[in-house]
């Protein structure tokens, strides 16, 4: 006997489970190295050596009750100060530890933010394609997720459609840049127009609309691309960040929330988000990892590795005639299915031991996502299969 709210989640879980099971089945038959699994966003790059060193040093140097004890629900003050100072150096801001709440990755950052600001029945808007977990997160607080259809020309947010979907019920908008699943970075022009639209609606509503910037891929940008700092554009922006991808630490569950002083009623928002962290049962972000982050705040994983993978995969696939969005950031390649039913295409790819995720898993059918956070060998070895797949579809 499970709760009504869990039933749709349980029903949808089967698609994800099937994908896992199919991968395991193929690997069992053909061997790990002969299955080209582009389905998961689990980084293949090792965390920087500095992280390993910091873990050991902290265990040797810091008192055990500090390393393993409770601290403020917002996190260690010293860690939050290090995060604030790092942001200030990079973005010319003037945050203090007060503006930072350490989180249990981006997933919990989003949940804490939504719990902090959302009333039942209020709407949260996001842009297709999108990370499907947003739906579950918004429903956790009895909100409604409203999805703006994709602009399939640019995969920047479709702002004309967005304008029409805003209403007096809109409480928040979630954006994600660099973007999963398209690899697009939202441009300066996009963010400026998005801001103008939001300000107009905010004035009409007479209450704030929060822009939630979900940023687990902030550091993964290629060809020197700049990822704009969203709070510079729109005052009521709250940032959810994660070290899952930038430091290859997804299992460690560490990230942070930024609530700048410019956010409407910021003192209450900061207090409420700190309490949300507690009452949702996280209590605080993992203590050892907070101390690691404090020592390694400006470390990054090997971005050149992903850039190399991106170049190989993009050049290889477009060379075969597939239509792809050239990723500017993150580690996903978004490819148009040669047939309208992308699930059929995903099935056909399995004949060549290639695993991809259908676009309908991101509310955008007709496309597929390839996660290229895999070994370079996987990409090279998959090329023969992709060539045959292209032939099969007459490309
Ligand atoms: N948001 C997006 C767009 C993601 O792709 C992911 C993970 O893949 C998350 C949030 C959750 O990240 P975390 O592991 O930090 O919870």
């Amino acid at each position: 006997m499970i709760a009504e709210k869990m039933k749709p989640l349980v029903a949808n879980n089967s698609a994800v489970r099937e994908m896992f099971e199919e991968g395991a089945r193929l690997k069992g038959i053909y061997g790990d190295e002969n299955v080209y699994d582009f389905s998961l966003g689990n980084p293949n790059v090792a965390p920087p050596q500095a992280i390993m060193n910091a873990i050991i040093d902290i265990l040797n140097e810091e008192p055990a009750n500090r390393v393993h004890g409770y601290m403020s629900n917002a996190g260690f003050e010293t860690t939050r100060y290090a995060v604030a100072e790092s942001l200030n150096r990079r973005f010319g801001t003037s945050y203090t530890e007060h503006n930072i709440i350490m989180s249990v990755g981006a997933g919990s950052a989003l949940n804490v933010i939504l719990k902090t600001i959302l009333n039942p029945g209020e709407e949260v808007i996001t842009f297709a394609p999108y990370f499907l977990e947003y739906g579950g997160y918004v429903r956790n607080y009895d909100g409604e997720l409203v999805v703006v259809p994709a602009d399939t020309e640019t995969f920047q947010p479709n702002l004309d459609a967005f304008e029409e979907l805003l209403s007096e019920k809109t409480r928040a908008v979630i954006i994600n840049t660099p973007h999963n699943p398209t690899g697009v970075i939202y441009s300066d022009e996009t963010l400026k127009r998005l801001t103008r639209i939001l300000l107009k609606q905010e004035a009409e509503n007479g209450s704030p609309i929060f822009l939630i910037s979900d940023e687990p891929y902030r550091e993964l940008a290629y060809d020197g691309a700049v990822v704009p700092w969203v709070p510079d554009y729109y005052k009521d922006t709250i940032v959810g960040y994660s070290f899952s991808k930038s430091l290859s630490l997804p299992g460690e569950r560490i990230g942070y929330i930024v609530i700048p002083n410019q956010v409407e009623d910021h003192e209450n928002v900061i207090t409420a988000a700190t309490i949300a962290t507690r009452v949702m049962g996280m209590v605080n972000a993992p203590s050892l990892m907070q101390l690691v982050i404090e020592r390694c705040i400006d470390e990054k994983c090997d971005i050149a590795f992903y850039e190399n993978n991106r170049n190989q995969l993009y050049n290889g696939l477009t060379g075969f005639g597939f239509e792809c969005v050239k990723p500017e950031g993150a580690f996903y390649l978004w490819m148009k299915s040669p047939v309208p039913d992308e699930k059929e295409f995903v099935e056909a790819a399995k004949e060549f031991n290639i695993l991809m995720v259908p676009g309908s898993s991101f509310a955008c059918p007709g496309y597929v996502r390839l996660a290229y956070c895999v070994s370079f060998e996987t990409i090279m070895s998959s090329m023969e299969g992709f060539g045959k797949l292209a032939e099969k579809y007459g490309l």
Side-chain angles (χ1 to χ4, degrees), residues 115-321:
K115 182 158 180 78
T116 300
I117 61 172
L118 205 57
N119 295 299
E122 288 180 339
E123 293 181 351
V124 178
I125 302 187
T126 200
F127 299 90
Y130 71 97
F131 181 56
L132 228 54
E133 298 289 19
Y134 293 161
Y137 296 168
V138 168
R139 279 188 293 278
N140 281 344
Y141 313 101
D142 296 320
E144 291 282 331
L145 187 74
V146 175
V147 180
V148 180
D151 171 349
T152 53
E153 286 297 308
T154 63
F155 285 101
Q156 294 279 325
N158 180 343
L159 295 178
D160 290 333
F162 172 60
E163 219 165 350
E164 283 172 25
L165 289 169
L166 280 162
S167 77
E168 71 286 352
K169 286 206 231 159
T170 310
R171 169 57 67 209
V173 175
I174 305 179
I175 58 171
N176 164 229
T177 173
H179 190 252
N180 174 13
T182 62
V184 161
I185 295 174
Y186 289 5
S187 67
D188 174 66
E189 194 191 328
T190 295
L191 291 170
K192 281 185 177 146
R193 186 161 169 230
L194 181 77
T195 298
R196 282 198 298 275
I197 296 170
L198 279 174
L199 286 175
K200 187 164 157 265
Q201 188 68 36
E202 211 177 39
E204 250 174 61
N205 288 8
S207 64
I209 300 177
F210 295 96
L211 181 58
I212 303 171
S213 186
D214 176 26
E215 305 192 350
Y217 303 98
R218 161 162 292 281
E219 321 311 338
L220 304 183
Y222 310 120
D223 301 327
V226 173
V227 183
W229 181 242
V230 182
D232 280 348
Y233 291 79
Y234 182 68
K235 104 182 168 46
D236 289 323
T237 301
I238 302 179
V239 175
Y241 182 86
S242 169
F243 295 97
S244 292
K245 321 284 171 164
S246 62
L247 290 177
S248 293
L249 295 171
E252 301 292 354
R253 315 305 305 136
I254 185 77
Y256 59 79
I257 299 167
V258 188
I259 304 170
N261 286 350
Q262 65 195 15
V263 167
E264 181 87 18
D265 199 19
H266 70 274
E267 283 298 343
N268 266 329
V269 175
I270 291 169
T271 306
T274 306
I275 294 169
T277 301
R278 190 184 83 223
V279 298
M280 287 160 77
M282 274 94 70
V283 182
N284 55 252
S287 53
L288 173 59
M289 278 305 129
Q290 288 193 50
L291 296 175
V292 169
I293 293 305
E294 188 176 321
R295 292 187 184 209
C296 302
I297 187 66
D298 290 323
E299 288 290 333
K300 284 184 194 142
C301 67
D302 182 7
I303 291 161
F305 172 91
Y306 292 129
E307 186 155 357
N308 198 31
N309 277 4
R310 173 199 74 154
N311 294 343
Q312 181 57 42
L313 191 63
Y314 177 79
N315 294 338
L317 294 178
T318 50
F320 289 130

